[in-house]
Amino acid sequence: MDNLKTGLLIRELRKEKGMTQKALAELLHITDRAVSKWERGLCAPDLSTLEPLAKALDISVNELIAGERMTVQTPVEGLEKAVKEVIAYSENEIGKKTRAVKIKLAIGCAAACAALLAFLIFIYSPVIFQRGNPIPYLAAAMQINEDRPYVQVAVNDNADIYISHRGECPALFNYIEDTWNATFREQMGGTYFFVTDADALMVSAEVYWAKFTVWTIPNVTLAGG
């Protein structure tokens, strides 16, 4: 369909019938802006509008799509061309509608996923962001195995941070004792006391995501050693 050619035909026939754009629009139950766009060739009538529009203008759908009136003397080739244009137009409209539906579905799914994610973050944010950015902790937790029962998460000026499966980690305790030449003395809540000949080292433990324990090992002892 040639939008400009069809638009000029719609305008010509509408004026012949003494109808305004608004009158034609009301007859088709659409807006007059839609009629204006048709007549300016900016877009084509919707597939569902072709038949009532053709009826309102007293022409055939073939003539509407061809953008010209057809007489009895119209060559067979012209009719065949018009029919082909009708088929092509129909397929194009169906394709556009299918694409539009797919786009709407994709947007709807994306919006639903975003809403679900926002809901989960809102509900579980105290757990997800328990220690700030969860990515380093989860990345380290994925490396835990039988041969590697604890993994270092981060190092800073004040402490080294490790993660293990929930509960005490004997391998980590052995590491602390060997590194600091200390001995485990006692546990008080989430704090584990290790002592040397003169100093004490307080290692804190925190349950993380209900499945892991995060260990914070300070870089200094209580005596400031």
Side-chain angles (χ1 to χ4, degrees):
M1 174 186 283
D2 185 329
N3 290 352
L4 185 59
K5 192 175 180 181
T6 296
L8 291 175
L9 179 63
I10 293 173
R11 181 182 180 185
E12 177 187 343
L13 296 176
R14 173 182 62 79
K15 288 189 173 183
E16 283 182 6
K17 291 185 171 298
M19 287 192 294
T20 63
Q21 290 181 344
K22 185 176 181 180
L24 179 58
E26 289 177 350
L27 190 63
L28 301 174
H29 306 291
I30 58 174
T31 65
D32 54 345
R33 289 198 308 178
V35 176
S36 176
K37 288 182 178 180
W38 296 343
E39 294 185 354
R40 286 181 290 157
L42 299 181
C43 64
D46 186 83
L47 185 61
S48 61
T49 311
L50 288 179
E51 188 173 353
L53 175 59
K55 185 176 180 180
L57 298 176
D58 288 330
I59 58 173
S60 68
V61 173
N62 284 351
E63 290 175 308
L64 186 59
I65 291 178
E68 60 183 355
R69 290 169 170 167
M70 295 181 182
T71 64
V72 177
Q73 289 76 32
T74 300
V76 174
E77 292 80 2
L79 291 174
E80 290 180 350
K81 181 181 177 182
V83 170
K84 288 179 181 179
E85 287 183 349
V86 172
I87 295 173
Y89 178 76
S90 300
E91 291 176 345
N92 183 55
E93 287 297 305
I94 292 173
K96 287 195 296 183
K97 288 181 181 295
T98 301
R99 289 193 295 272
V101 170
K102 289 181 178 179
I103 291 173
K104 288 180 179 179
L105 285 175
I107 293 174
C109 289
C113 290
L116 178 60
L117 179 61
F119 174 76
L120 292 176
I121 290 176
F122 175 77
I123 296 297
Y124 296 106
S125 59
V127 174
I128 295 174
F129 302 106
Q130 180 179 344
R131 295 183 63 86
N133 181 7
I135 294 178
Y137 293 90
L138 297 180
M142 291 176 65
Q143 301 176 51
I144 298 173
N145 54 48
E146 291 183 0
D147 298 325
R148 196 177 184 188
Y150 63 91
V151 177
Q152 190 170 42
V153 178
V155 178
N156 55 50
D157 295 334
N158 300 317
D160 295 345
I161 301 174
Y162 294 83
I163 190 169
S164 69
H165 286 303
R166 184 172 178 175
E168 293 185 354
C169 183
L172 181 61
F173 284 15
N174 292 337
Y175 166 77
I176 295 171
E177 291 178 341
D178 292 342
T179 303
W180 289 85
N181 193 25
T183 303
F184 173 64
R185 174 63 59 83
E186 63 179 326
Q187 174 191 1
M188 294 183 61
T191 302
Y192 292 77
F193 290 89
F194 292 80
V195 296
T196 64
D197 292 339
D199 304 324
L201 180 70
M202 291 195 308
V203 177
S204 64
E206 178 184 358
V207 175
Y208 187 68
W209 279 44
K211 294 183 178 181
F212 306 100
T213 296
V214 172
W215 305 88
T216 302
I217 306 174
N219 291 328
V220 295
T221 61
L222 284 178

